[in-house]
Amino acid sequence: MQQNSTVTEFILLGLTQDPLKQKMVFIIFLVFYLGTVVGNTLIIVTIKFSRTLGSPMYFFLFYLSFADSCFSTSTAPRLIVDALSKKNIISYNECMTQVFALHLFGCMEIFVLILMAVDRYVAICKPLRYPVIMSRQVCVILIVLAWIGSFIHSTAQIVLALRLPFCGPNLIDHYCCDLQPLLKLACMDTYMINLLLVSNSGAICSSSFVILIISYFVILHSLRNHSAEGRKKALSTCTSHIIVVILFFGPCIFIYARPPTTFSLDKMVAVFYTIGTPFLNPIIYTLRNAEVKNAMKKLWHVKIMTE
């Protein structure tokens, strides 16, 4: 995998070098990661085995939870282990693999959020045609296209990363491998590669956010023609989606859609969308969704009774 580089490994500086703070990082992010895996797995299992959650919205939520778990797994375990390690070494190949995984599952989450917005738009604005437009076959095709798009995006990122020559310092001032911190170590002019990064990751984040905000604005505007009960239910669902969109895209745009400038907040902002958002998503979708909560209660009640 290694090309045009004399560096065979990198050292991740992590979030802090203070021993006491590193122990705090270990405890806090271990709790966050376990919560992310348990919460998203609970949603995945509930949707998979519940008969009441067969609508397209929950079909997409299934893949959002899967993407969340994988997205967090691409960074959190390394951060947790490194918090107790004295020398946080990551090989060149492992670093490139992390870049690929981070962008694959991050991009997948973006595409799934767009598909969930499309689903809500059709359900609220075109209710009579909803079963035809959002049939199971259509949903499967959309998810396959989302995976293909994510793979193309992450492949483009890894191609950019592989073009970077490293011949000097190997200290990455971050807790994971990503193009932004790697660009600072490359022994070449990275202006064009940074431009490609902004036009790829930055454009995907920014354009997707604009599309989602416009779509939810149209949806909320169309709710005027619905009954009070229908308006309340649709508003509750859309509010959950909007919260997730803002929590994910805000930090994402801050990191990727800007010139090559380093801020002291970069690592904490990255933590928020790589670890914080996947942790919060299951909480948001379960606490604000009566159908998911009822399905969980029924499913786990049946399992306990059968045992």
Side-chain angles (χ1 to χ4, degrees), residues 190-253:
T190 58
Y191 175 79
M192 285 304 299
I193 290 183
N194 190 80
L195 194 62
L196 291 171
L197 174 64
V198 172
S199 63
N200 189 339
S201 298
I204 288 176
C205 291
S206 302
S207 60
S208 299
F209 180 71
V210 171
I211 290 170
L212 286 165
I213 293 300
I214 292 174
S215 65
Y216 282 116
F217 177 79
V218 172
I219 290 170
L220 294 174
H221 185 263
S222 68
L223 288 177
R224 297 181 307 167
N225 303 323
H226 288 67
S227 63
E229 184 179 348
R231 204 162 44 234
K232 183 180 178 182
K233 184 178 179 181
L235 189 61
S236 176
T237 304
C238 289
T239 302
S240 300
H241 292 192
I242 292 170
I243 291 172
V244 170
V245 165
I246 293 173
L247 289 177
F248 181 80
F249 281 95
C252 188
I253 291 171

Side-chain angles (χ1 to χ4, degrees), residues 87-105:
K87 217 170 186 182
N88 308 329
I89 296 173
I90 183 170
S91 70
Y92 181 92
N93 288 346
E94 287 176 328
C95 186
M96 295 301 110
T97 301
Q98 190 175 56
V99 171
F100 182 84
L102 185 68
H103 285 272
L104 175 67
F105 297 113

Side-chain angles (χ1 to χ4, degrees), residues 146-168:
W147 278 117
I148 292 172
S150 301
F151 182 80
I152 293 172
H153 165 73
S154 53
T155 301
Q157 298 302 295
I158 202 67
V159 168
L160 291 177
L162 289 172
R163 288 174 59 87
L164 296 173
F166 302 102
C167 49

